[in-house]
Every structure is written in C-alpha cells, then in structure tokens.
Amino acid sequence: MIRCISCNEEYDDDEIIYTCSKCGSILEVECDVEDIPRETFEGRRDNIWKYKEFLPVKYENRVSLDEGGTPFCKCDTIGDELGIDLYVKVEGSNPTGSFKDRGMSVGTTKAVDLGVDMVGCASTGNTSASLSAYAARAGLKCAVVLPDGKVALGKLAQAMFHGAKVFAIDGNFDDALETITQLALDGELYLLNSINPYRLEGQKTIGMEVVHDLGWQSPDRIILPVGNAGNISAIWKGITEFRDAGYIKDTPMMTGIQAVDSAPIANAVKAGSDEVIPVENPETIATAIRIGAPVSSLKAMRAIKESNGTAETVTDDEILDAQKYLARSEGIGVEPASAASIAGLRKLVENGVVDKGEKVVCIVTGHVLKDPNVAIDACEEPTKVSSDPNDIKSVIRNL
Ligand code: AN7
C-alpha cells in the first residue's frame, strides 16, 4: 500500500502516483513484514535482494545488477585522529558507481511490475547514470533531463553510453525535475526520481546493511550528504523497519550534510525551524548535491527530528579537502558530494556535536571516477622524466 505522509490517504500499489491527490504531499510505501527472524538473511547472496521480504515489488520480476553488499570499511587513521570509532560505507562500489543503483533496481522492477515501457528522470548525474543502465537491463526506453554543463563527466558518459535519450536544459536540477515531472503527469513516462516512493524502498537497504554489517547493532550516528533528501529519508526508513522487526533496539542519529550555498535543510535545522525554504540559485562544486528545493524535505526533517539527529553545512574548500584526506589517509576515492559526509564529520567533531568515542558511519555515496575533472584539478601534474631510472631515483628518495 502507498500512503501519504501528511494526511495518511491510502493508495493501491498498482496506482501510478507521485504525490497525494488529496493534499499534495509526498508518499511512502508501507511495507508489511511480519515475524521474519534475522537469520533468514544469512547465507544469501550479498546484494539488496537478500532483504527481499522488505522489498515491496515482485521478486521474480527483479531487475538487478547485483547491487548492494557494498564495502564497510573501518577507518582507524581518520577515526583515531578525530577520537571516534569510524566506519565508511562505500557506495561507489555499486554497479554504476553510486548508491542510486539500490533505488533503481527496485524502481525499475516496479516499472516492470506495472508494465510500463518508458522510464525517465531528472538528474544532477548519478540518477541518470544508474537509470540508463537499469533501463537497458530491463529493456525499457529511457529519457533523462540534465542541467546543461553541470553534470560531472563520468556520469554524463554513463547516461549516454547506456543508451538513454539525454536532454540538457538551460536551468538547474530543480528546473529539470519540474520538466520531467510534467512529462510523467502527462502519462509519457514512469518517473524514477526519488519522489517515486519505490526508489526509496531500494535505498533503505543502506540502513539495513549498516546494522547488519555491525553485527546487528546500531551505530550512534549515520552521516551522509543531502541533496534531494531521498537517501537520508530512505536510510531512516530501513533502520526503523529493522527496529520494528526487533533486530535492533537503538537507532542512530541521522546527520545530513549540505554544501553551504545549497543548504535549505541544514539552514532550517540550524534555525530550529520546521520550514524548509528553497534556495533559489544553489551552487557548489559538488554538483551531485547542487539542489535548492529537495522534494523529500518533509521526510528528511522527520528523520532528523525522530532520530535526534542534526544537519550541518560545509564549504567547497572543506569538501575538497575532505575528499583528498579520505583518499590519501584511507585509500577510499569518492566524488566531491560524498566527501561532504567526512567534511561534516570533521566540523561536528570540532564544534563538539559528535562526542569522543562515538561509533559513526559515514555513507560515501559515489566513486571518485564520477568526476575526474575535479580529481585531476586537485593534484599536481605527473612529473615528466626521461626513461633513465636515475631521474626517478632522485625524486623518490626525497618523498
Ligand atoms: C553522489 O543524481 O540527486 O539527498 O540526480 O549523486 O538522496 O538526493 C544525486 C544525489 C549524494 C544526494 N551523493 O542524495 C541525482 C541526484 C551523491 C549523489 C546525493 C546525490 P539525495
């Protein structure tokens, strides 16, 4: 069943609907799971479908590239430096290099369940990269709308290469989402942005995996970058479903990080207000989260509030610094948006919000190769040498 999160109006599973027709608010899929012992999941292949009882689509229709089951790395170098117990969940190891694959696997499966033949999305990059691959896998036609010139190179290459019809508009992500939503409401395509609640059903498996990875324990805190705010909402849904199933007792403080000039949710949290005021012209080098009007802000604010969490802003310089710090001290290469979680963690430790000794999980959402230009610009050029080993020797002896 699909339910409005504001007025509780109910809709059938097979209704193609993105917002409540009664009050206009956003929707959530209600997942009725009863009495499944957690041992059920052991011994299954380590992808999102190991939690199939919690995924409200037809398992036999599943569109999968073996997504999920991502690395969960204990990061003692950074953890010791910050005085915390740090784990990093590496979502860049998904098939197309971001966490979006979890949502697209379930979302395109729903598209197959419904019998549609065309899917679409607006995207800052990763959503389109993922959808174009899953649409190809499912044999569905696919159209994506992107903000012209503001999508990182690797993501654009993926969307084009998997065969989606790619449109670039003169506008930002928020404008692109309005355009594609109108096409969906006109019945031209099935919308697979995170306003579609089935997307979040896939992404909630991040929260489930984190507690599973920790041996059926909740961390004290989960920190992640926030753009359209689907992922923080989804992870909280996964956590609460596992709590309600009796697998864990405690829950983590959900902590969202936004870039300072694209921070409607963090601004509201810091102001102690429930009202999320859209940012007119969002900017940040972390183009993935260059979003001013998050569609899931109601769910995200609920997640932050219910979990006793918080939100913080970081500057582009702090993001780039954290990206390099994670790459060079732990060997984990992530795109700028993902590094916002580490930048935010540093800031929250500095200002005393994160306590010493806390068990913190940072979700790093996309791979470093998504945005090769930013990575290359952050580094020294390769040193040109002759093939004489002595030229290299003189350099490496001074490293
Ligand atoms: C790497 O691809 O919105 O808060 O259109 O690519 O759930 O939106 C991407 C978002 C974080 C933010 N990290 O997640 C898109 C898009 C990375 C991302 C986010 C995105 P949400």
Side-chain angles (χ1 to χ4, degrees):
M1 189 213 307
I2 303 170
R3 188 192 290 279
C4 171
I5 72 157
S6 297
C7 76
N8 285 322
E9 184 73 4
E10 294 173 5
Y11 300 90
D12 281 345
D13 290 326
D14 55 3
E15 204 165 328
I16 297 184
I17 185 165
Y18 307 105
T19 51
C20 180
S21 44
K22 215 169 129 199
C23 78
S25 191
I26 48 177
L27 307 171
E28 188 163 73
V29 183
E30 207 144 288
C31 207
D32 294 323
V33 180
E34 269 167 44
D35 291 340
I36 296 176
R38 68 188 188 199
E39 292 72 30
T40 310
F41 313 120
E42 306 305 333
R44 289 183 176 174
R45 188 164 173 83
D46 195 6
N47 61 37
I48 66 165
W49 297 94
K50 64 184 174 290
Y51 305 126
K52 64 182 178 186
E53 288 81 0
F54 286 82
L55 300 178
V57 287
K58 294 201 178 100
Y59 181 68
E60 62 276 18
N61 283 349
R62 72 192 176 284
V63 183
S64 177
L65 291 164
D66 213 20
E67 55 291 317
T70 50
F72 188 69
C73 298
K74 192 164 194 321
C75 288
D76 286 340
T77 305
I78 297 181
D80 290 351
E81 230 167 274
L82 298 179
I84 58 162
D85 190 13
L86 177 64
Y87 298 79
V88 170
K89 184 81 171 152
V90 187
E91 289 296 296
S93 293
N94 276 298
T96 77
S98 84
F99 71 99
K100 305 282 181 182
D101 293 342
R102 297 174 183 267
M104 285 309 173
S105 179
V106 173
T108 49
T109 299
K110 186 65 189 176
V112 172
D113 287 353
L114 291 166
V116 304
D117 68 350
M118 175 122 188
V119 291
C121 68
S123 183
T124 58
N126 280 323
T127 298
S128 64
S130 182
L131 180 57
S132 56
Y134 281 83
R137 183 89 167 150
L140 297 165
K141 290 187 283 182
C142 178
V144 305
V145 182
L146 311 175
D148 194 14
K150 293 292 182 183
V151 171
L153 195 65
K155 306 173 190 183
L156 184 60
Q158 288 176 294
M160 291 164 64
F161 200 71
H162 287 296
K165 180 67 197 168
V166 178
F167 297 96
I169 63 156
D170 179 17
N172 60 28
F173 169 83
D174 304 296
D175 303 318
L177 186 57
E178 256 185 69
T179 304
I180 198 85
T181 301
Q182 194 53 56
L183 287 162
L185 293 176
D186 291 346
E188 299 291 335
L189 47 82
Y190 184 56
L191 184 63
L192 277 171
N193 280 101
S194 55
I195 193 158
N196 182 327
Y198 286 94
R199 269 274 311 279
L200 302 191
E201 291 303 292
Q203 287 170 214
K204 75 183 180 186
T205 59
I206 297 177
M208 295 172 161
E209 277 182 18
V210 164
V211 303
H212 199 163
D213 287 333
L214 284 171
W216 302 107
Q217 256 185 23
S218 169
D220 296 314
R221 186 183 298 274
I222 292 179
I223 306 184
L224 73 158
V226 171
N228 220 8
N231 211 28
I232 190 168
S233 313
I235 292 174
W236 181 238
K237 189 170 193 284
I239 294 275
T240 52
E241 285 179 4
F242 267 17
R243 177 198 60 198
D244 295 347
Y247 305 157
I248 48 169
K249 285 204 183 66
D250 299 327
T251 55
M253 293 176 272
M254 298 302 299
T255 303
I257 312 298
Q258 296 196 294
V260 68
D261 291 326
S262 308
I265 289 174
N267 291 343
V269 169
K270 287 175 150 214
S273 160
D274 287 336
E275 197 194 349
V276 175
I277 302 164
V279 170
E280 203 59 51
N281 293 304
E283 270 312 336
T284 168
I285 194 166
T287 51
I289 52 172
R290 186 173 170 272
I291 294 174
V295 294
S296 295
S297 54
L298 268 179
K299 290 182 185 175
M301 292 297 283
R302 190 180 60 178
I304 289 170
K305 206 172 203 175
E306 281 178 12
S307 70
N308 199 24
T310 189
E312 185 53 273
T313 59
V314 289
T315 65
D316 281 0
D317 283 346
E318 287 165 340
I319 287 173
L320 293 175
D321 204 46
Q323 186 192 17
K324 213 179 238 182
Y325 179 47
L326 183 62
R328 297 191 174 187
S329 54
E330 301 285 0
I332 299 172
V334 303
E335 66 167 288
S338 312
S341 60
I342 301 293
L345 166 65
R346 277 172 131 177
K347 198 169 245 182
L348 292 168
V349 167
E350 251 165 51
N351 60 24
V353 173
V354 170
D355 291 329
K356 292 287 164 200
E358 257 189 36
K359 193 186 287 272
V360 177
V361 175
C362 284
I363 313 294
V364 292
T365 43
H367 200 280
V368 64
L369 291 175
K370 290 285 192 170
D371 198 340
N373 297 327
V374 164
I376 286 171
D377 288 349
C379 299
E380 266 178 43
E381 294 268 312
T383 306
K384 291 203 170 59
V385 288
S386 72
S387 54
D388 180 354
N390 287 320
D391 275 9
I392 293 179
K393 220 179 264 173
S394 62
V395 178
I396 60 178
R397 283 190 174 164
N398 293 316
L399 285 181

